[in-house]
Amino acid sequence: MQSPALYLAPIRGITDHVFRSLLAEHFGGFDLAVAPFIASKQDNVFKARYVKDVLPENNRWMPVVPQILSKSAVDFTLLANYLFALGYDTVNWNLGCPYPTVANKQRGSGMLPHTDRIRAFLDHACAGLRGRMSIKLRLGWQSNDDIFVLLPLFNQYPLASVIIHPRTGVQRYGGRVDLDAFGRCLAICAHPVVYNGDICTPSDFAMLASRFKEISGWMIGRGAVADPFLASAIKGGRYPETGTLERMRRFHDHLFDAYAALLGGPAHVMDRMKGFWRYFSMSFKDCEKAMKTIRKARGPHQYQAAVARFFDTDAVWRSIAERGDAPDASGPATARASEMP
């Protein structure tokens, strides 16, 4: 049986090049990542700092597809061709970001109801790109109707793939993924389709893979940050029998050291690491008290002491059964996923 193609999803402020590289080094399992979006600019001046996350020298551990957030085809094409000149062969257009600060400007999923603008965008971009383009999108902004208008349009263009998260933009990450609507999308889309949304356990993946056998790839985001073992467990069929806490601790410590060397000032390091615990905490039992101590830590030394105390005395990894790892005909573990930001 062929191993599934697994993609790490883009999560802004989380799955940057440091996290991607260390996830690959410590756990493996992913075949590639789509990087968090880079917003297009109205000029063709791109300093290294602006595209630092996708510079090839920062991405040796895991193949990466850069993602661009843009509502201007001209600006998108300028940035995309700059990225192609760095050696990339594919860029991804973000039509999925659900957050109001993006969507209210008719970018991300806020652009999905505007079919004519998307058509004009694709006409210009596909004519001017020096490489391939994929699209990541949701079912629509407020309703599922948007995608069923867009997919026949997408079929007219030479897209590398279409990545579909079967929620609307206004849902963000709450509610249930609409697997029936996703199945209808598969019947319409002429391009390779990648599924994205609420794969939190191996049985979530198994249920989806048995239902949608024609999928070309599977994208996992929040579930893989909460449980870094997930991708390798899906591919290998099991979790490690021993050493789970030790590996998580080494991963955490390596992340801390890498960000301490990269980010300017302890406050930035603390913010980044505390952000990870919003996800990591999902994989530990009865850890509310320890998480409160970690969140209240005022400086790196206090933070490191709180984390060390957690791993030394309190950390208990949740078993597969406790994760709800059982087949569910109604859909994947959306209740767990909706708890994640």
Side-chain angles (χ1 to χ4, degrees):
M1 182 177 178
Q2 186 175 4
S3 180
L6 300 183
Y7 301 1
L8 179 65
I11 305 176
R12 196 160 177 80
I14 296 291
T15 61
D16 65 2
H17 69 91
V18 173
F19 180 87
R20 295 191 302 265
S21 296
L22 293 179
L23 182 71
E25 179 182 348
H26 284 261
F27 300 100
F30 282 103
D31 298 285
L32 64 84
V34 174
F37 69 75
I38 304 169
S40 64
K41 300 170 60 179
Q42 293 183 337
D43 59 46
N44 60 356
V45 178
F46 303 107
K47 296 181 179 180
R49 181 178 61 184
Y50 193 73
V51 295
K52 182 177 182 179
D53 187 55
V54 295
L55 290 175
E57 58 264 32
N58 291 333
N59 290 279
R60 296 189 176 99
W61 279 90
M62 186 185 299
V64 170
V65 174
Q67 184 182 80
I68 300 174
L69 178 73
S70 182
K71 62 180 180 181
S72 165
V74 174
D75 299 343
F76 176 94
T77 304
L78 284 171
L79 177 53
N81 285 336
Y82 175 84
L83 294 169
F84 293 140
L86 292 178
Y88 290 102
D89 61 7
T90 305
V91 297
N92 180 262
W93 184 26
N94 181 328
L95 286 179
C97 182
Y99 290 102
T101 53
V102 168
N104 289 344
K105 297 178 182 178
Q106 295 185 4
R107 298 183 299 174
S109 59
M111 196 173 184
L112 293 174
H114 304 282
T115 307
D116 289 342
R117 292 189 59 197
I118 291 174
R119 178 185 291 109
F121 187 106
L122 291 172
D123 283 342
H124 180 94
C126 290
L129 291 178
R130 299 171 191 160
R132 302 193 304 164
M133 171 183 179
S134 65
I135 295 177
K136 186 177 187 297
L137 77 162
R138 290 180 171 236
L139 298 176
W141 172 236
Q142 292 186 317
S143 77
N144 295 354
D145 296 339
D146 296 338
I147 200 167
F148 297 111
V149 176
L150 291 172
L151 287 176
L153 173 65
F154 291 170
N155 289 344
Q156 301 172 27
Y157 297 90
L159 302 178
S161 63
V162 177
I163 305 167
I164 300 175
H165 182 134
R167 283 189 176 92
T168 61
V170 295
Q171 280 183 276
R172 297 196 192 180
Y173 297 97
R176 301 188 69 83
V177 288
D178 190 339
L179 298 183
D180 291 336
F182 180 80
R184 290 170 58 199
C185 293
L186 282 178
I188 297 171
C189 189
H191 301 294
V193 175
V194 176
Y195 175 90
N196 172 220
D198 294 5
I199 300 176
C200 300
T201 68
S203 68
D204 290 341
F205 171 80
M207 183 279 294
L208 290 163
S210 67
R211 179 168 177 175
F212 303 118
K213 296 182 173 61
E214 58 270 61
I215 291 297
S216 64
W218 303 89
M219 178 171 279
I220 309 173
R222 295 164 295 145
V225 181
D227 175 8
F229 295 95
L230 179 58
S232 58
I234 287 172
K235 286 194 169 181
R238 62 171 57 188
Y239 280 88
E241 296 182 2
T242 60
T244 306
L245 292 179
E246 291 79 5
R247 289 176 64 183
M248 276 297 298
R249 185 172 190 167
R250 286 196 299 270
F251 178 53
H252 167 274
D253 292 348
H254 205 165
L255 282 173
F256 182 92
D257 291 342
Y259 285 116
L262 178 70
L263 300 178
H268 294 294
V269 178
M270 297 287 289
D271 287 345
R272 183 62 59 90
M273 296 308 300
K274 290 178 181 180
F276 285 126
W277 280 107
R278 296 167 65 194
Y279 296 89
F280 293 163
S281 63
M282 303 289 292
S283 289
F284 295 94
K285 292 177 60 176
D286 304 324
C287 63
E288 293 81 4
K289 184 177 179 180
M291 292 305 106
K292 186 175 181 179
T293 302
I294 289 171
R295 287 194 301 271
K296 286 187 173 183
R298 292 185 177 273
H301 294 301
Q302 194 176 85
Y303 169 83
Q304 288 177 293
V307 171
R309 185 163 56 251
F310 173 65
F311 278 113
D312 287 339
T313 62
D314 299 324
V316 178
W317 191 255
R318 293 175 66 190
S319 70
I320 294 176
E322 288 166 329
R323 290 170 184 271
D325 193 51
D328 179 356
S330 64
T334 53
R336 295 189 304 282
S338 64
E339 296 171 4
M340 302 179 194

